[in-house]
Amino acid sequence: MSYLKKRKALLLAIIAVTALAPLGFVEIFESPGLAVVKVLAKTGSLVGTVFLIWQVVLGFRGFAALLVPDVIWMIELHKKLGIYGTLLILLHPIFITIYYVQMLDRNIWAFNLGQPFDMFVLLGLIALLVLALVVVTSVFFRAKLGFRRWYKLHLLSYFILPLVFVHSFPIGQTVGGSNLWYIWLILGAITAGLFAFRLMGRLGLLYHPYEGINVNRLAPDVVEIGLKPMNKGIVPKVGQFVYVRHGLKGTVHPYTVSHFTPGNKTLFVTVKSLGPGSKRMQSMTPGSQMLVDGPYGVFGQEVFHTEMPVIMVAGGIGITSFIRLVEYLENIKSRESLLFYGSVSPKDIVYKKELSNLKHVKVVHVISDDESY
C-alpha cells in the first residue's frame, strides 16, 4: 500500500472512531425495545453531528491538505460525509419522537414556544431543514442552479452546527448528563475556530499576494497569465494546482500551475473563457493584485515513483495538467513517454508550439473536426 493510501485509510479510521466514540456515553436503563429506539436516536444525533463536524474540517482545504494532500479525494469525502451525516441525523427526530411518546407520553412536536424545551426543539428542527436544503440542492440541483446561486445556498450550512450545539447543550440528555458535555464543548470550540479561519480566508488573510505580470494568448479563448509573488510565494510541485482570486471581490477558481520559474517563484496559470469569473481573469492587466492559495493536489506524482513507460491522455484545456510533466519527461531519455491530446480543431490546440518542439515525448494529436490529424 502506498504512503498516500495509508494516510487515506488512517483518516477514514479516525473519522469512524471519533464518530462512534460518543455512543460510549449513552446510558441504557430502558427495556430492550425502548433501548434500541434510544440508541438509534442517539446514533442519529451524536454520530451524525460528528460526521458534519468532520465535513466542516475537510471543507477547509488549507487544513485538509495537511491530513491528506489529495484534495480532490478530500472534496469527495467532504460530500459523502454531508450525505451520510444527513441520513444519520434523520434517525434522530424519528426515534426521539418514539422514545418520548413511549417513555414520557409526550409529543415533542406539540410546540409551546413559551417553554424553553420546545424552543430548543424548534432550533433543532430548523437545523435539520437547513441541512436538508443544502444537501438536496448540492446533490440534485447544483448544475441547474449554477455556481453562484448554489454557493449562496451552501453558505447556509454555516448555521447548521451552531444551531445543533445550541439545541443539544440544554436538552441533550447524554450531552448534559455525562462527560460528553466537555467533549461537545471542545468540538464546538473547534468548529468556531474553523469558521473564523474560513472568514479570514474570505477576507484574503490566508492567501499569498501575487501581482499579474503578463497575459499571453494561446488559443482563441485561452490565455496564460503570469503571476509574480509580492512576498515569499509558493513552490508548486509538478501537476499541482492553486486557487486564484482576482482581488478580494473576485470569485475563487482552481487552476493548474502550467509553468513555474524557481528563481523568482513566478507561476503561470492557463485560463479558458468559460464564465464571468474566467473572463474577468482573462481581462487582467499587469499590476493587478491576485490572491493565490495552495499548492494542492497529487496529479502525476506516481510518475516519480516508477521507471515504467508513461502514457498520457489529455483533452482541450486539460493539457495544462500535463505541461510541466511533459517538460520533466522530455529530459528523461530512458523512459518512453506518449501523449494523446484531443482538440476540436487545430486552432484550439493549447501550447501547440511547445508540444511541436518536443523531441523525446511523442505527441499524438486527435482532432475531431479534421480527419487529416
Side-chain angles (χ1 to χ4, degrees):
M1 183 182 291
S2 68
Y3 177 67
L4 183 59
K5 289 182 178 179
K6 289 180 180 179
R7 291 182 67 168
K8 291 178 181 179
L10 178 61
L11 177 60
L12 292 175
I14 293 173
I15 292 174
V17 171
T18 54
L20 293 173
L23 293 179
F25 294 90
V26 179
E27 296 181 352
I28 303 296
F29 54 82
E30 296 85 357
S31 63
L34 197 56
V36 172
V37 172
K38 183 177 183 178
V39 169
L40 288 172
K42 296 300 182 179
T43 299
S45 60
L46 302 177
V47 179
T49 297
V50 175
F51 268 30
L52 293 187
I53 293 172
W54 273 108
Q55 189 200 27
V56 171
V57 171
L58 301 186
F60 179 44
R61 58 179 176 263
F63 180 75
L66 299 177
L67 301 176
V68 175
D70 188 347
V71 176
I72 304 301
W73 182 84
M74 296 290 265
I75 291 174
E76 290 302 314
L77 180 57
H78 165 84
K79 294 177 182 177
K80 290 178 180 178
L81 285 171
I83 295 172
Y84 297 146
T86 301
L87 293 175
L88 282 170
I89 286 178
L90 286 175
L91 295 175
H92 181 64
I94 296 171
F95 289 99
I96 203 67
T97 300
I98 298 173
Y99 181 83
Y100 269 86
V101 169
Q102 294 187 4
M103 187 71 177
L104 303 173
D105 193 26
R106 179 175 182 177
N107 179 10
I108 61 174
W109 304 109
F111 291 118
N112 178 4
L113 297 183
Q115 299 294 324
F117 179 89
D118 292 349
M119 291 181 62
F120 290 118
V121 171
L122 179 60
L123 290 178
L125 177 60
I126 293 173
L128 178 62
L129 293 175
V130 173
L131 176 61
L133 175 64
V134 171
V135 171
V136 169
T137 53
S138 297
V139 174
F140 299 106
F141 299 104
R142 179 170 179 175
K144 294 181 180 179
L145 288 170
F147 176 79
R148 291 179 180 273
R149 283 188 291 179
W150 166 82
Y151 182 72
K152 290 178 181 178
L153 284 172
H154 197 70
L155 290 177
L156 293 174
S157 62
Y158 287 99
F159 294 99
I160 296 171
L161 283 176
L163 286 171
V164 168
F165 284 120
V166 174
H167 162 80
S168 62
F169 275 118
I171 64 175
Q173 294 180 3
T174 302
V175 173
S178 70
N179 288 331
L180 182 60
W181 191 90
Y182 298 102
I183 297 175
W184 229 236
L185 192 63
I186 293 172
L187 291 177
I190 292 173
T191 302
L194 288 171
F195 285 174
F197 271 106
R198 292 299 293 266
L199 179 60
M200 291 172 62
R202 188 59 199 170
L203 295 175
L205 300 178
L206 302 180
Y207 282 71
H208 300 276
Y210 275 71
E211 179 184 359
I213 56 174
N214 58 47
V215 177
N216 179 30
R217 186 160 298 279
L218 304 177
D221 57 353
V222 178
V223 302
E224 183 183 64
I225 298 175
L227 302 174
K228 181 180 180 181
M230 299 175 68
N231 50 31
K232 61 180 183 180
I234 62 174
V235 181
K237 296 179 181 178
V238 172
Q240 288 195 305
F241 65 94
V242 294
Y243 287 89
V244 182
R245 288 170 62 185
H246 191 173
L248 285 175
K249 294 183 179 180
T251 55
V252 181
H253 292 281
Y255 296 104
T256 299
V257 178
S258 49
H259 287 99
F260 177 68
T261 306
N264 56 15
K265 295 184 179 179
T266 297
L267 59 85
F268 297 82
V269 296
T270 310
V271 182
K272 183 174 182 178
S273 180
L274 295 172
S278 57
K279 289 181 179 179
R280 187 166 183 260
M281 279 285 293
Q282 288 197 346
S283 64
M284 183 216 74
T285 55
S288 297
Q289 183 184 22
M290 314 293 282
L291 300 175
V292 176
D293 178 31
Y296 298 109
V298 294
F299 180 82
Q301 294 302 305
E302 290 298 323
V303 170
F304 302 102
H305 302 289
T306 177
E307 296 299 325
M308 297 177 63
V310 181
I311 298 177
M312 298 163 282
V313 181
I317 193 62
I319 189 64
T320 57
S321 301
F322 294 90
I323 289 299
R324 294 182 69 198
L325 183 59
V326 166
E327 291 177 344
Y328 166 80
L329 293 171
E330 177 68 6
N331 297 314
I332 310 297
K333 307 302 181 182
S334 60
R335 296 183 69 177
E336 184 179 357
S337 302
L338 177 62
L339 169 65
F340 292 94
Y341 180 26
S343 305
V344 176
S345 67
K347 68 178 181 180
D348 295 312
I349 298 175
V350 182
Y351 294 111
K352 186 174 183 178
K353 183 177 180 181
E354 292 187 26
L355 295 176
S356 64
N357 289 334
L358 295 173
K359 303 298 183 182
H360 173 63
V361 178
K362 183 178 180 180
V363 180
V364 178
H365 289 282
V366 180
I367 307 298
S368 58
D369 286 354
D370 191 337
E371 295 182 357
S372 63
Y373 271 81

